Amino acid sequence: MTLRAPPLALYVHLPWCVRKCPYCDFNSHAVPAAGLPERAYLAALLDDLEFAARDCAGREIVSVFFGGGTPSLFAAESIGRILERARHLFRPASDFEVTLEANPGTVERGRFADYRSVGVSRISLGAQSFDDERLAALGRIHSSRETRAAVEELHAAGLDNFNLDLMYALPQQSLEGALADLEQALGLGPAHVSHYQLTLEPGTAFERRPPPLPDDESAFAMQEASASRLAAAGFRQYEVSAWSAPVRECRHFGDYLGIGAGAHGKLTHPLAGAVVRTVRVRNPGRYLAAPAPEARVEDTRRVGADDLAFEFFLNVLRLVDGFSAAGFELRTGLPWSSVAGSVASAESRGLLRADPPDRWAPTPLGRRFLNDLQAVFLPDPTALAANTDRGGLALPTRIG
Ligand SMILES: C[S@@+](CC[C@H](N)C(=O)[O-])C[C@H]1O[C@@H](n2cnc3c(N)ncnc32)[C@H](O)[C@@H]1O
Ligand code: SF4
């Protein structure tokens, strides 16, 4: 199998939050009573980074994403230490981008300027809603006033390249309410909007005691109306939940190193013709207690040919622009003929449309019934639920 290594990114997971939100199934945990173990975790991350880099040191790196949990609980100095080490181990690309996720309830005055001074170039802010009643129902630690103040701080720090996370189909939300949220978000001048439908995830407090949510038809109406409004505001949908102003699309789908508790990584080894996935120990306490870097690795596995093809489709079927046959062969090292029949079948069911000579993209129907479309490419159809996360992404991070 001949593979070419795609661009490399680094994902850093910071797993603590002020408090756990009742809808959230990320690997996030309330800060322990003894306080945030910032120094110990920073030391573990630096060690983990050195270890992860052994297989790819010196490679060009296009981006770093600090995700969580709530990375904005960590001081700029800690974030800067990780970036410094990453710059030392890899070659930053000319348009190297560093994103940090922030919760509006954790960013006191001056904090964004500090992050920028250590190299953060983009912020992803968890706004969720601008209706204080909705925010309370979601168990958020901040009000809409704090979100606006955080955005003012972003502009003051010169961090105009920011994303706002919004959720819709919230408890007792109306169509008008969802659109009002979007209007307020657009008024703050984001470069990118991640617009997620609230889902009831297994193991969350909301799953155990579901709040009154809008029905599927109402949720779909919110999605459609929001899509029109975002498009009218000049945003382009490039992924199921991601909208960006021109040239602000967040880059992914390449190789990534994942460090920190529960982080996933994927690395192409062109010479060996292999793609290897790694998962770090999920529990932050166990991650911290690991006596050696190897002990922080929960799982390492070589991705088989069937899985490579499926993962390719899991990712590209979320993209509005779809995929090409040449891209499939380049990324998976497999012949197009191995999947041409499945592509034709999805096309005949109206889930994909051809864009000759060699591109295909999901139709609106395919986007709406994404799970059905993805299932067409599944080696074992019963495995879909196990392989997809909220958005069906085989990626370590949200797209914000
Ligand atoms: C790691 S959080 C962002 C940063 C920070 N922790 C915060 O919440 O402000 C990632 C995003 O995923 C989205 N999210 C989390 N759980 C969700 C769910 N059950 N349904 C839909 N979106 C969800 C939220 O929009 C959230 O902002
Ligand atoms: S949504 Fe964000 S703040 Fe809330 S628990 Fe999840 S990661 Fe933490």
Side-chain angles (χ1 to χ4, degrees):
M1 197 171 3
T2 320
L3 289 173
R4 190 183 303 172
L8 178 68
L10 171 65
Y11 175 74
V12 185
H13 193 76
L14 305 170
W16 290 283
C17 297
V18 172
R19 151 172 113 204
K20 180 81 181 174
C21 302
Y23 55 86
C24 177
D25 73 334
F26 285 95
N27 186 23
S28 56
H29 308 263
V31 171
L36 186 72
E38 182 158 353
R39 279 166 71 109
Y41 197 68
L42 174 63
L45 282 175
L46 291 172
D47 195 40
D48 199 0
L49 179 57
E50 295 272 353
F51 176 71
R54 285 190 326 189
D55 289 334
C56 53
R59 245 176 91 172
E60 186 179 76
I61 185 170
V62 292
S63 62
V64 180
F65 193 102
F66 291 94
T70 303
S72 52
L73 286 175
F74 280 68
E77 196 198 336
S78 305
I79 300 297
R81 291 274 305 281
I82 296 163
L83 290 173
E84 193 183 21
R85 190 69 59 92
R87 281 201 190 84
H88 177 73
L89 290 165
F90 307 101
R91 283 180 298 116
S94 56
D95 54 350
F96 183 57
E97 183 174 89
V98 178
T99 301
L100 180 128
E101 284 186 335
N103 181 316
T106 63
V107 283
E108 71 279 353
R109 199 150 261 272
R111 186 164 268 252
F112 285 135
D114 291 345
Y115 285 137
R116 188 178 175 195
S117 71
V118 298
V120 173
S121 56
R122 183 171 177 272
I123 294 288
S124 179
L125 194 65
Q128 320 307 354
S129 172
F130 288 88
D131 175 336
D132 287 339
E133 262 183 58
R134 255 18 82 205
L135 288 171
L138 291 172
R140 298 291 296 179
I141 58 166
H142 58 90
S143 64
S144 57
R145 195 179 52 76
E146 282 168 285
T147 306
R148 280 192 209 91
V151 172
E152 266 172 41
E153 283 282 308
L154 281 174
H155 287 301
L159 283 165
D160 295 321
N161 183 10
F162 66 92
N163 166 64
L164 291 180
D165 279 347
L166 271 189
M167 294 194 291
Y168 65 96
L170 303 179
Q172 294 177 311
Q173 189 179 45
S174 63
L175 175 62
E176 292 69 33
L179 285 173
D181 270 354
L182 187 56
E183 213 53 56
Q184 302 237 29
L186 291 173
L188 295 175
H192 189 288
V193 176
S194 296
H195 198 235
Y196 302 109
Q197 177 175 346
L198 176 67
T199 48
L200 296 181
E201 297 298 328
T204 60
F206 270 12
E207 191 221 15
R208 288 190 290 279
R209 219 173 311 147
L213 295 182
D215 60 26
D216 285 352
E217 285 309 309
S218 312
F220 186 59
M222 290 178 194
Q223 184 190 323
E224 293 278 281
S226 303
S228 303
R229 181 64 192 101
L230 281 157
F235 284 78
R236 178 176 174 275
Q237 183 180 23
Y238 65 98
E239 214 265 7
V240 175
S241 318
W243 295 78
S244 81
V247 226
R248 288 289 199 205
E249 293 169 12
C250 131
R251 293 166 294 182
H252 50 302
F253 298 110
D255 277 356
Y256 45 87
L257 296 181
I259 63 165
H264 291 235
K266 184 195 108 186
L267 204 58
T268 305
H269 299 264
L271 291 179
V275 175
V276 174
R277 287 197 164 275
T278 51
V279 185
R280 295 293 190 260
V281 168
R282 188 172 163 89
N283 179 280
R286 278 186 53 218
Y287 179 89
L288 276 169
E294 295 80 4
R296 292 191 196 96
V297 180
E298 182 86 61
D299 189 32
T300 302
R301 77 181 165 92
R302 193 182 164 131
V303 184
D306 273 0
D307 286 344
L308 267 184
F310 178 60
E311 286 185 12
F312 174 87
F313 285 107
L314 208 55
N315 287 325
V316 297
L317 292 175
R318 294 176 60 84
L319 297 178
V320 171
D321 284 346
F323 57 93
S324 67
F328 172 82
E329 294 194 338
L330 191 71
R331 290 281 173 254
T332 63
L334 300 169
W336 177 247
S337 56
S338 60
V339 290
S342 302
V343 170
S345 151
E347 202 183 327
S348 69
R349 289 171 58 192
L351 299 169
L352 280 181
R353 77 178 153 70
D355 180 8
D358 95 327
R359 287 199 75 81
W360 286 263
T363 58
L365 188 71
R367 287 219 294 275
R368 187 169 179 197
F369 297 101
L370 185 61
N371 277 357
D372 291 344
L373 176 53
Q374 288 170 335
V376 173
F377 298 93
L378 205 57
D380 167 10
T382 56
L384 184 63
N387 267 297
T388 53
D389 64 10
R390 164 170 319 96
L393 264 181
L395 286 173
T397 65
R398 277 67 66 202
I399 47 208

